Amino acid sequence: AQKITQTQPGMFVQEKEAVTLDCTYDTSDPSYGLFWYKQPSSGEMIFLIYQGSYDQQNATEGRYSLNFQKARKSANLVISASQLGDSAMYFCAMREVRRSGSARQLTFGSGTQLTVLP
Amino acid sequence: DGGITQSPKYLFRKEGQNVTLSCEQNLNHDAMYWYRQDPGQGLRLIYYSQIVNDFQKGDIAEGYSVSREKKESFPLTVTSAQKNPTAFYLCASSMGPSWGGSWNEQFFGPGTRLTVL
């Protein structure tokens, strides 16, 4: 079974509009963390936002927010006021404490290619 | 500036040759990782190391080897046993073992694109 599922291979959004990128996950570990990374065409991975499984509030970082629905096992990324520079590949990732122990192993989804239109 | 460097940016290899990818970090991080990324796919973990002189296999370790003789360095060797080595390789590092908070994130290098001719 897929640990991290991103069902949108590609998304388009008009500049200045908001967009939601979907991510669902599968784990039986009660302690886990969810991450979103941005990968521009140059290839580097840029950390965007983090949500812990015990966090009571949804994470926010500037224009990025995470819509965390624990019962549904979803952790969707919301980008508000899209900019042309937001065009990139976006990856959702998870770390399970029980599986990884003290290591920081991440399991990644297959990604969503976001294109912002002028 | 603190960060992770990978070299070379592009690497070409003939079939049957071993090749070593460099990864260096000056973030004083204990843990380091190697990932492989194929076109249109996410990252898959090859090897990781939590501390000097120790490393563990990830999900796709076959055909790869690593060493961790220094805290700053975690080179990856792609051996001739790796049947399909053409891919984008990313190195990452993170703080030592503990749990909690967004500072758990992994910091990534710029990557090395390996092509087998």
PDB file of all heavy atoms in Angstrom, chain B residues 1-36:
ATOM      1  N   ASP B   1      28.479  30.510   4.284  1.00  0.00           N
ATOM      2  CA  ASP B   1      27.099  30.156   4.563  1.00  0.00           C
ATOM      3  C   ASP B   1      26.981  28.662   4.824  1.00  0.00           C
ATOM      4  O   ASP B   1      27.669  27.863   4.208  1.00  0.00           O
ATOM      5  CB  ASP B   1      26.212  30.508   3.381  1.00  0.00           C
ATOM      6  CG  ASP B   1      25.991  32.008   3.264  1.00  0.00           C
ATOM      7  OD1 ASP B   1      26.467  32.719   4.148  1.00  0.00           O
ATOM      8  OD2 ASP B   1      25.344  32.428   2.307  1.00  0.00           O
ATOM      9  N   GLY B   2      26.082  28.291   5.759  1.00  0.00           N
ATOM     10  CA  GLY B   2      25.885  26.878   6.036  1.00  0.00           C
ATOM     11  C   GLY B   2      25.029  26.243   4.971  1.00  0.00           C
ATOM     12  O   GLY B   2      24.111  26.847   4.434  1.00  0.00           O
ATOM     13  N   GLY B   3      25.350  24.973   4.649  1.00  0.00           N
ATOM     14  CA  GLY B   3      24.557  24.282   3.660  1.00  0.00           C
ATOM     15  C   GLY B   3      25.143  22.946   3.286  1.00  0.00           C
ATOM     16  O   GLY B   3      26.065  22.433   3.942  1.00  0.00           O
ATOM     17  N   ILE B   4      24.572  22.387   2.234  1.00  0.00           N
ATOM     18  CA  ILE B   4      25.003  21.085   1.736  1.00  0.00           C
ATOM     19  C   ILE B   4      25.467  21.248   0.299  1.00  0.00           C
ATOM     20  O   ILE B   4      24.767  21.876  -0.512  1.00  0.00           O
ATOM     21  CB  ILE B   4      23.843  20.066   1.785  1.00  0.00           C
ATOM     22  CG1 ILE B   4      23.331  19.928   3.209  1.00  0.00           C
ATOM     23  CG2 ILE B   4      24.302  18.721   1.249  1.00  0.00           C
ATOM     24  CD1 ILE B   4      22.119  19.034   3.329  1.00  0.00           C
ATOM     25  N   THR B   5      26.617  20.705  -0.001  1.00  0.00           N
ATOM     26  CA  THR B   5      27.132  20.766  -1.370  1.00  0.00           C
ATOM     27  C   THR B   5      27.237  19.358  -1.923  1.00  0.00           C
ATOM     28  O   THR B   5      27.593  18.409  -1.204  1.00  0.00           O
ATOM     29  CB  THR B   5      28.499  21.452  -1.419  1.00  0.00           C
ATOM     30  OG1 THR B   5      29.409  20.759  -0.550  1.00  0.00           O
ATOM     31  CG2 THR B   5      28.405  22.901  -0.982  1.00  0.00           C
ATOM     32  N   GLN B   6      26.908  19.243  -3.170  1.00  0.00           N
ATOM     33  CA  GLN B   6      27.036  17.981  -3.885  1.00  0.00           C
ATOM     34  C   GLN B   6      27.841  18.228  -5.153  1.00  0.00           C
ATOM     35  O   GLN B   6      27.655  19.242  -5.835  1.00  0.00           O
ATOM     36  CB  GLN B   6      25.671  17.410  -4.275  1.00  0.00           C
ATOM     37  CG  GLN B   6      24.849  16.923  -3.101  1.00  0.00           C
ATOM     38  CD  GLN B   6      23.555  16.264  -3.541  1.00  0.00           C
ATOM     39  OE1 GLN B   6      22.470  16.731  -3.240  1.00  0.00           O
ATOM     40  NE2 GLN B   6      23.672  15.167  -4.267  1.00  0.00           N
ATOM     41  N   SER B   7      28.705  17.293  -5.436  1.00  0.00           N
ATOM     42  CA  SER B   7      29.469  17.420  -6.681  1.00  0.00           C
ATOM     43  C   SER B   7      29.695  16.040  -7.280  1.00  0.00           C
ATOM     44  O   SER B   7      29.766  15.042  -6.568  1.00  0.00           O
ATOM     45  CB  SER B   7      30.812  18.113  -6.414  1.00  0.00           C
ATOM     46  OG  SER B   7      31.586  17.355  -5.498  1.00  0.00           O
ATOM     47  N   PRO B   8      29.785  15.984  -8.601  1.00  0.00           N
ATOM     48  CA  PRO B   8      29.525  17.069  -9.538  1.00  0.00           C
ATOM     49  C   PRO B   8      28.020  17.286  -9.738  1.00  0.00           C
ATOM     50  O   PRO B   8      27.224  16.500  -9.262  1.00  0.00           O
ATOM     51  CB  PRO B   8      30.186  16.561 -10.819  1.00  0.00           C
ATOM     52  CG  PRO B   8      30.022  15.071 -10.736  1.00  0.00           C
ATOM     53  CD  PRO B   8      30.153  14.724  -9.283  1.00  0.00           C
ATOM     54  N   LYS B   9      27.655  18.305 -10.484  1.00  0.00           N
ATOM     55  CA  LYS B   9      26.254  18.570 -10.773  1.00  0.00           C
ATOM     56  C   LYS B   9      25.735  17.579 -11.818  1.00  0.00           C
ATOM     57  O   LYS B   9      24.606  17.119 -11.746  1.00  0.00           O
ATOM     58  CB  LYS B   9      26.086  19.995 -11.292  1.00  0.00           C
ATOM     59  CG  LYS B   9      24.643  20.453 -11.441  1.00  0.00           C
ATOM     60  CD  LYS B   9      24.596  21.923 -11.824  1.00  0.00           C
ATOM     61  CE  LYS B   9      23.163  22.389 -12.062  1.00  0.00           C
ATOM     62  NZ  LYS B   9      22.388  22.420 -10.826  1.00  0.00           N
ATOM     63  N   TYR B  10      26.590  17.304 -12.806  1.00  0.00           N
ATOM     64  CA  TYR B  10      26.267  16.324 -13.845  1.00  0.00           C
ATOM     65  C   TYR B  10      27.404  15.317 -13.898  1.00  0.00           C
ATOM     66  O   TYR B  10      28.572  15.670 -13.813  1.00  0.00           O
ATOM     67  CB  TYR B  10      26.113  16.992 -15.213  1.00  0.00           C
ATOM     68  CG  TYR B  10      24.984  17.990 -15.286  1.00  0.00           C
ATOM     69  CD1 TYR B  10      25.210  19.350 -15.089  1.00  0.00           C
ATOM     70  CD2 TYR B  10      23.683  17.570 -15.529  1.00  0.00           C
ATOM     71  CE1 TYR B  10      24.177  20.260 -15.139  1.00  0.00           C
ATOM     72  CE2 TYR B  10      22.639  18.478 -15.588  1.00  0.00           C
ATOM     73  CZ  TYR B  10      22.892  19.817 -15.395  1.00  0.00           C
ATOM     74  OH  TYR B  10      21.867  20.716 -15.452  1.00  0.00           O
ATOM     75  N   LEU B  11      27.040  14.050 -14.094  1.00  0.00           N
ATOM     76  CA  LEU B  11      28.037  12.988 -14.116  1.00  0.00           C
ATOM     77  C   LEU B  11      27.630  11.961 -15.155  1.00  0.00           C
ATOM     78  O   LEU B  11      26.473  11.531 -15.196  1.00  0.00           O
ATOM     79  CB  LEU B  11      28.132  12.330 -12.732  1.00  0.00           C
ATOM     80  CG  LEU B  11      29.224  11.307 -12.480  1.00  0.00           C
ATOM     81  CD1 LEU B  11      30.595  11.899 -12.750  1.00  0.00           C
ATOM     82  CD2 LEU B  11      29.141  10.796 -11.049  1.00  0.00           C
ATOM     83  N   PHE B  12      28.623  11.590 -15.965  1.00  0.00           N
ATOM     84  CA  PHE B  12      28.382  10.591 -16.990  1.00  0.00           C
ATOM     85  C   PHE B  12      29.272   9.388 -16.702  1.00  0.00           C
ATOM     86  O   PHE B  12      30.438   9.537 -16.361  1.00  0.00           O
ATOM     87  CB  PHE B  12      28.671  11.168 -18.379  1.00  0.00           C
ATOM     88  CG  PHE B  12      27.785  12.319 -18.735  1.00  0.00           C
ATOM     89  CD1 PHE B  12      28.143  13.616 -18.398  1.00  0.00           C
ATOM     90  CD2 PHE B  12      26.573  12.099 -19.356  1.00  0.00           C
ATOM     91  CE1 PHE B  12      27.312  14.683 -18.701  1.00  0.00           C
ATOM     92  CE2 PHE B  12      25.736  13.162 -19.663  1.00  0.00           C
ATOM     93  CZ  PHE B  12      26.103  14.452 -19.337  1.00  0.00           C
ATOM     94  N   ARG B  13      28.700   8.226 -16.882  1.00  0.00           N
ATOM     95  CA  ARG B  13      29.439   7.010 -16.550  1.00  0.00           C
ATOM     96  C   ARG B  13      29.214   5.977 -17.631  1.00  0.00           C
ATOM     97  O   ARG B  13      28.109   5.875 -18.177  1.00  0.00           O
ATOM     98  CB  ARG B  13      28.921   6.458 -15.220  1.00  0.00           C
ATOM     99  CG  ARG B  13      29.705   5.288 -14.651  1.00  0.00           C
ATOM    100  CD  ARG B  13      28.940   4.585 -13.538  1.00  0.00           C
ATOM    101  NE  ARG B  13      28.198   3.439 -14.040  1.00  0.00           N
ATOM    102  CZ  ARG B  13      27.528   2.604 -13.267  1.00  0.00           C
ATOM    103  NH1 ARG B  13      27.455   2.815 -11.973  1.00  0.00           N
ATOM    104  NH2 ARG B  13      26.876   1.584 -13.791  1.00  0.00           N
ATOM    105  N   LYS B  14      30.240   5.238 -17.904  1.00  0.00           N
ATOM    106  CA  LYS B  14      30.093   4.128 -18.840  1.00  0.00           C
ATOM    107  C   LYS B  14      29.577   2.925 -18.076  1.00  0.00           C
ATOM    108  O   LYS B  14      29.849   2.766 -16.878  1.00  0.00           O
ATOM    109  CB  LYS B  14      31.433   3.793 -19.488  1.00  0.00           C
ATOM    110  CG  LYS B  14      31.947   4.872 -20.439  1.00  0.00           C
ATOM    111  CD  LYS B  14      33.246   4.431 -21.075  1.00  0.00           C
ATOM    112  CE  LYS B  14      33.769   5.504 -22.024  1.00  0.00           C
ATOM    113  NZ  LYS B  14      35.071   5.102 -22.628  1.00  0.00           N
ATOM    114  N   GLU B  15      28.881   2.076 -18.755  1.00  0.00           N
ATOM    115  CA  GLU B  15      28.388   0.848 -18.131  1.00  0.00           C
ATOM    116  C   GLU B  15      29.552   0.048 -17.573  1.00  0.00           C
ATOM    117  O   GLU B  15      30.613  -0.044 -18.194  1.00  0.00           O
ATOM    118  CB  GLU B  15      27.619   0.003 -19.141  1.00  0.00           C
ATOM    119  CG  GLU B  15      26.201   0.469 -19.360  1.00  0.00           C
ATOM    120  CD  GLU B  15      25.365  -0.550 -20.115  1.00  0.00           C
ATOM    121  OE1 GLU B  15      25.525  -1.751 -19.850  1.00  0.00           O
ATOM    122  OE2 GLU B  15      24.569  -0.135 -20.958  1.00  0.00           O
ATOM    123  N   GLY B  16      29.353  -0.513 -16.382  1.00  0.00           N
ATOM    124  CA  GLY B  16      30.389  -1.342 -15.775  1.00  0.00           C
ATOM    125  C   GLY B  16      31.359  -0.591 -14.897  1.00  0.00           C
ATOM    126  O   GLY B  16      32.212  -1.204 -14.259  1.00  0.00           O
ATOM    127  N   GLN B  17      31.257   0.738 -14.854  1.00  0.00           N
ATOM    128  CA  GLN B  17      32.155   1.534 -14.026  1.00  0.00           C
ATOM    129  C   GLN B  17      31.493   1.892 -12.710  1.00  0.00           C
ATOM    130  O   GLN B  17      30.290   2.178 -12.662  1.00  0.00           O
ATOM    131  CB  GLN B  17      32.524   2.829 -14.750  1.00  0.00           C
ATOM    132  CG  GLN B  17      33.505   2.677 -15.884  1.00  0.00           C
ATOM    133  CD  GLN B  17      33.851   4.017 -16.495  1.00  0.00           C
ATOM    134  OE1 GLN B  17      33.114   4.983 -16.380  1.00  0.00           O
ATOM    135  NE2 GLN B  17      34.997   4.061 -17.176  1.00  0.00           N
ATOM    136  N   ASN B  18      32.294   1.923 -11.664  1.00  0.00           N
ATOM    137  CA  ASN B  18      31.839   2.490 -10.397  1.00  0.00           C
ATOM    138  C   ASN B  18      32.025   4.007 -10.450  1.00  0.00           C
ATOM    139  O   ASN B  18      32.937   4.509 -11.115  1.00  0.00           O
ATOM    140  CB  ASN B  18      32.640   1.940  -9.222  1.00  0.00           C
ATOM    141  CG  ASN B  18      32.371   0.476  -8.964  1.00  0.00           C
ATOM    142  OD1 ASN B  18      31.553  -0.143  -9.642  1.00  0.00           O
ATOM    143  ND2 ASN B  18      33.064  -0.076  -7.995  1.00  0.00           N
ATOM    144  N   VAL B  19      31.177   4.728  -9.744  1.00  0.00           N
ATOM    145  CA  VAL B  19      31.316   6.172  -9.684  1.00  0.00           C
ATOM    146  C   VAL B  19      30.907   6.640  -8.295  1.00  0.00           C
ATOM    147  O   VAL B  19      29.996   6.063  -7.684  1.00  0.00           O
ATOM    148  CB  VAL B  19      30.458   6.856 -10.774  1.00  0.00           C
ATOM    149  CG1 VAL B  19      28.983   6.596 -10.547  1.00  0.00           C
ATOM    150  CG2 VAL B  19      30.743   8.332 -10.841  1.00  0.00           C
ATOM    151  N   THR B  20      31.608   7.655  -7.784  1.00  0.00           N
ATOM    152  CA  THR B  20      31.324   8.158  -6.440  1.00  0.00           C
ATOM    153  C   THR B  20      30.791   9.575  -6.495  1.00  0.00           C
ATOM    154  O   THR B  20      31.389  10.455  -7.127  1.00  0.00           O
ATOM    155  CB  THR B  20      32.588   8.108  -5.562  1.00  0.00           C
ATOM    156  OG1 THR B  20      33.002   6.743  -5.424  1.00  0.00           O
ATOM    157  CG2 THR B  20      32.303   8.677  -4.175  1.00  0.00           C
ATOM    158  N   LEU B  21      29.665   9.792  -5.811  1.00  0.00           N
ATOM    159  CA  LEU B  21      29.040  11.106  -5.702  1.00  0.00           C
ATOM    160  C   LEU B  21      29.388  11.703  -4.348  1.00  0.00           C
ATOM    161  O   LEU B  21      29.279  11.031  -3.318  1.00  0.00           O
ATOM    162  CB  LEU B  21      27.520  10.977  -5.837  1.00  0.00           C
ATOM    163  CG  LEU B  21      26.913  10.791  -7.218  1.00  0.00           C
ATOM    164  CD1 LEU B  21      27.425   9.534  -7.897  1.00  0.00           C
ATOM    165  CD2 LEU B  21      25.400  10.739  -7.127  1.00  0.00           C
ATOM    166  N   SER B  22      29.771  12.965  -4.374  1.00  0.00           N
ATOM    167  CA  SER B  22      30.200  13.622  -3.154  1.00  0.00           C
ATOM    168  C   SER B  22      29.050  14.360  -2.480  1.00  0.00           C
ATOM    169  O   SER B  22      28.191  14.932  -3.147  1.00  0.00           O
ATOM    170  CB  SER B  22      31.316  14.616  -3.483  1.00  0.00           C
ATOM    171  OG  SER B  22      31.579  15.472  -2.407  1.00  0.00           O
ATOM    172  N   CYS B  23      29.040  14.357  -1.146  1.00  0.00           N
ATOM    173  CA  CYS B  23      28.093  15.134  -0.364  1.00  0.00           C
ATOM    174  C   CYS B  23      28.803  15.646   0.886  1.00  0.00           C
ATOM    175  O   CYS B  23      29.350  14.852   1.663  1.00  0.00           O
ATOM    176  CB  CYS B  23      26.883  14.298   0.032  1.00  0.00           C
ATOM    177  SG  CYS B  23      25.721  15.207   1.087  1.00  0.00           S
ATOM    178  N   GLU B  24      28.793  16.963   1.047  1.00  0.00           N
ATOM    179  CA  GLU B  24      29.432  17.594   2.202  1.00  0.00           C
ATOM    180  C   GLU B  24      28.459  18.583   2.836  1.00  0.00           C
ATOM    181  O   GLU B  24      27.766  19.307   2.130  1.00  0.00           O
ATOM    182  CB  GLU B  24      30.685  18.371   1.768  1.00  0.00           C
ATOM    183  CG  GLU B  24      31.727  17.552   1.019  1.00  0.00           C
ATOM    184  CD  GLU B  24      32.651  16.794   1.953  1.00  0.00           C
ATOM    185  OE1 GLU B  24      32.829  17.238   3.099  1.00  0.00           O
ATOM    186  OE2 GLU B  24      33.186  15.743   1.530  1.00  0.00           O
ATOM    187  N   GLN B  25      28.440  18.615   4.184  1.00  0.00           N
ATOM    188  CA  GLN B  25      27.582  19.574   4.889  1.00  0.00           C
ATOM    189  C   GLN B  25      28.364  20.254   6.007  1.00  0.00           C
ATOM    190  O   GLN B  25      29.206  19.632   6.650  1.00  0.00           O
ATOM    191  CB  GLN B  25      26.319  18.897   5.433  1.00  0.00           C
ATOM    192  CG  GLN B  25      26.554  17.687   6.349  1.00  0.00           C
ATOM    193  CD  GLN B  25      26.490  17.971   7.826  1.00  0.00           C
ATOM    194  OE1 GLN B  25      26.277  19.111   8.256  1.00  0.00           O
ATOM    195  NE2 GLN B  25      26.685  16.938   8.631  1.00  0.00           N
ATOM    196  N   ASN B  26      28.088  21.534   6.197  1.00  0.00           N
ATOM    197  CA  ASN B  26      28.726  22.289   7.283  1.00  0.00           C
ATOM    198  C   ASN B  26      27.677  22.814   8.262  1.00  0.00           C
ATOM    199  O   ASN B  26      27.857  23.880   8.866  1.00  0.00           O
ATOM    200  CB  ASN B  26      29.582  23.415   6.715  1.00  0.00           C
ATOM    201  CG  ASN B  26      28.773  24.411   5.908  1.00  0.00           C
ATOM    202  OD1 ASN B  26      27.553  24.305   5.826  1.00  0.00           O
ATOM    203  ND2 ASN B  26      29.448  25.371   5.309  1.00  0.00           N
ATOM    204  N   LEU B  27      26.592  22.054   8.401  1.00  0.00           N
ATOM    205  CA  LEU B  27      25.501  22.417   9.301  1.00  0.00           C
ATOM    206  C   LEU B  27      25.650  21.768  10.667  1.00  0.00           C
ATOM    207  O   LEU B  27      24.797  21.944  11.531  1.00  0.00           O
ATOM    208  CB  LEU B  27      24.165  21.992   8.669  1.00  0.00           C
ATOM    209  CG  LEU B  27      23.859  22.633   7.303  1.00  0.00           C
ATOM    210  CD1 LEU B  27      22.699  21.911   6.624  1.00  0.00           C
ATOM    211  CD2 LEU B  27      23.550  24.105   7.487  1.00  0.00           C
ATOM    212  N   ASN B  28      26.704  20.989  10.845  1.00  0.00           N
ATOM    213  CA  ASN B  28      26.932  20.254  12.090  1.00  0.00           C
ATOM    214  C   ASN B  28      25.805  19.260  12.376  1.00  0.00           C
ATOM    215  O   ASN B  28      25.487  18.981  13.542  1.00  0.00           O
ATOM    216  CB  ASN B  28      27.119  21.201  13.280  1.00  0.00           C
ATOM    217  CG  ASN B  28      27.820  20.516  14.448  1.00  0.00           C
ATOM    218  OD1 ASN B  28      28.667  19.648  14.260  1.00  0.00           O
ATOM    219  ND2 ASN B  28      27.475  20.905  15.657  1.00  0.00           N
ATOM    220  N   HIS B  29      25.201  18.742  11.321  1.00  0.00           N
ATOM    221  CA  HIS B  29      24.135  17.762  11.481  1.00  0.00           C
ATOM    222  C   HIS B  29      24.715  16.366  11.699  1.00  0.00           C
ATOM    223  O   HIS B  29      25.717  15.993  11.094  1.00  0.00           O
ATOM    224  CB  HIS B  29      23.243  17.738  10.234  1.00  0.00           C
ATOM    225  CG  HIS B  29      22.320  18.911  10.169  1.00  0.00           C
ATOM    226  ND1 HIS B  29      21.610  19.224   9.034  1.00  0.00           N
ATOM    227  CD2 HIS B  29      21.962  19.822  11.100  1.00  0.00           C
ATOM    228  CE1 HIS B  29      20.854  20.287   9.276  1.00  0.00           C
ATOM    229  NE2 HIS B  29      21.068  20.670  10.527  1.00  0.00           N
ATOM    230  N   ASP B  30      24.053  15.605  12.557  1.00  0.00           N
ATOM    231  CA  ASP B  30      24.500  14.232  12.801  1.00  0.00           C
ATOM    232  C   ASP B  30      24.055  13.273  11.700  1.00  0.00           C
ATOM    233  O   ASP B  30      24.772  12.361  11.333  1.00  0.00           O
ATOM    234  CB  ASP B  30      23.936  13.731  14.142  1.00  0.00           C
ATOM    235  CG  ASP B  30      24.589  14.430  15.323  1.00  0.00           C
ATOM    236  OD1 ASP B  30      25.824  14.467  15.367  1.00  0.00           O
ATOM    237  OD2 ASP B  30      23.849  14.936  16.193  1.00  0.00           O
ATOM    238  N   ALA B  31      22.841  13.449  11.222  1.00  0.00           N
ATOM    239  CA  ALA B  31      22.259  12.481  10.286  1.00  0.00           C
ATOM    240  C   ALA B  31      22.402  12.957   8.838  1.00  0.00           C
ATOM    241  O   ALA B  31      22.247  14.139   8.537  1.00  0.00           O
ATOM    242  CB  ALA B  31      20.779  12.263  10.601  1.00  0.00           C
ATOM    243  N   MET B  32      22.693  12.002   7.957  1.00  0.00           N
ATOM    244  CA  MET B  32      22.783  12.292   6.529  1.00  0.00           C
ATOM    245  C   MET B  32      22.097  11.188   5.745  1.00  0.00           C
ATOM    246  O   MET B  32      22.001  10.047   6.207  1.00  0.00           O
ATOM    247  CB  MET B  32      24.250  12.449   6.096  1.00  0.00           C
ATOM    248  CG  MET B  32      24.940  13.637   6.769  1.00  0.00           C
ATOM    249  SD  MET B  32      26.588  13.972   6.155  1.00  0.00           S
ATOM    250  CE  MET B  32      26.245  14.694   4.541  1.00  0.00           C
ATOM    251  N   TYR B  33      21.634  11.539   4.541  1.00  0.00           N
ATOM    252  CA  TYR B  33      20.786  10.647   3.752  1.00  0.00           C
ATOM    253  C   TYR B  33      21.141  10.755   2.274  1.00  0.00           C
ATOM    254  O   TYR B  33      21.548  11.816   1.801  1.00  0.00           O
ATOM    255  CB  TYR B  33      19.305  11.044   3.893  1.00  0.00           C
ATOM    256  CG  TYR B  33      18.846  11.264   5.309  1.00  0.00           C
ATOM    257  CD1 TYR B  33      19.108  12.462   5.962  1.00  0.00           C
ATOM    258  CD2 TYR B  33      18.150  10.282   5.998  1.00  0.00           C
ATOM    259  CE1 TYR B  33      18.701  12.678   7.264  1.00  0.00           C
ATOM    260  CE2 TYR B  33      17.732  10.493   7.298  1.00  0.00           C
ATOM    261  CZ  TYR B  33      18.016  11.682   7.927  1.00  0.00           C
ATOM    262  OH  TYR B  33      17.606  11.891   9.215  1.00  0.00           O
ATOM    263  N   TRP B  34      20.900   9.656   1.552  1.00  0.00           N
ATOM    264  CA  TRP B  34      20.962   9.665   0.102  1.00  0.00           C
ATOM    265  C   TRP B  34      19.627   9.182  -0.445  1.00  0.00           C
ATOM    266  O   TRP B  34      19.107   8.144  -0.027  1.00  0.00           O
ATOM    267  CB  TRP B  34      22.069   8.757  -0.421  1.00  0.00           C
ATOM    268  CG  TRP B  34      23.407   9.425  -0.501  1.00  0.00           C
ATOM    269  CD1 TRP B  34      24.471   9.247   0.324  1.00  0.00           C
ATOM    270  CD2 TRP B  34      23.820  10.376  -1.483  1.00  0.00           C
ATOM    271  NE1 TRP B  34      25.523  10.041  -0.077  1.00  0.00           N
ATOM    272  CE2 TRP B  34      25.150  10.735  -1.187  1.00  0.00           C
ATOM    273  CE3 TRP B  34      23.196  10.963  -2.588  1.00  0.00           C
ATOM    274  CZ2 TRP B  34      25.868  11.646  -1.944  1.00  0.00           C
ATOM    275  CZ3 TRP B  34      23.912  11.871  -3.347  1.00  0.00           C
ATOM    276  CH2 TRP B  34      25.226  12.205  -3.027  1.00  0.00           C
ATOM    277  N   TYR B  35      19.110   9.973  -1.420  1.00  0.00           N
ATOM    278  CA  TYR B  35      17.876   9.632  -2.096  1.00  0.00           C
ATOM    279  C   TYR B  35      18.126   9.536  -3.598  1.00  0.00           C
ATOM    280  O   TYR B  35      18.978  10.222  -4.148  1.00  0.00           O
ATOM    281  CB  TYR B  35      16.804  10.703  -1.873  1.00  0.00           C
ATOM    282  CG  TYR B  35      16.285  10.808  -0.470  1.00  0.00           C
ATOM    283  CD1 TYR B  35      16.858  11.696   0.444  1.00  0.00           C
ATOM    284  CD2 TYR B  35      15.197  10.053  -0.050  1.00  0.00           C
ATOM    285  CE1 TYR B  35      16.369  11.809   1.729  1.00  0.00           C
ATOM    286  CE2 TYR B  35      14.697  10.165   1.243  1.00  0.00           C
ATOM    287  CZ  TYR B  35      15.287  11.039   2.111  1.00  0.00           C
ATOM    288  OH  TYR B  35      14.793  11.155   3.385  1.00  0.00           O
ATOM    289  N   ARG B  36      17.284   8.746  -4.220  1.00  0.00           N
ATOM    290  CA  ARG B  36      17.281   8.656  -5.676  1.00  0.00           C
ATOM    291  C   ARG B  36      15.930   9.146  -6.171  1.00  0.00           C
ATOM    292  O   ARG B  36      14.880   8.809  -5.589  1.00  0.00           O
ATOM    293  CB  ARG B  36      17.497   7.202  -6.099  1.00  0.00           C
ATOM    294  CG  ARG B  36      17.258   6.943  -7.570  1.00  0.00           C
ATOM    295  CD  ARG B  36      17.436   5.502  -7.938  1.00  0.00           C
ATOM    296  NE  ARG B  36      16.981   5.288  -9.312  1.00  0.00           N
ATOM    297  CZ  ARG B  36      17.636   4.532 -10.191  1.00  0.00           C
ATOM    298  NH1 ARG B  36      18.754   3.898  -9.828  1.00  0.00           N
ATOM    299  NH2 ARG B  36      17.180   4.378 -11.415  1.00  0.00           N
TER     300      ARG B  36
END
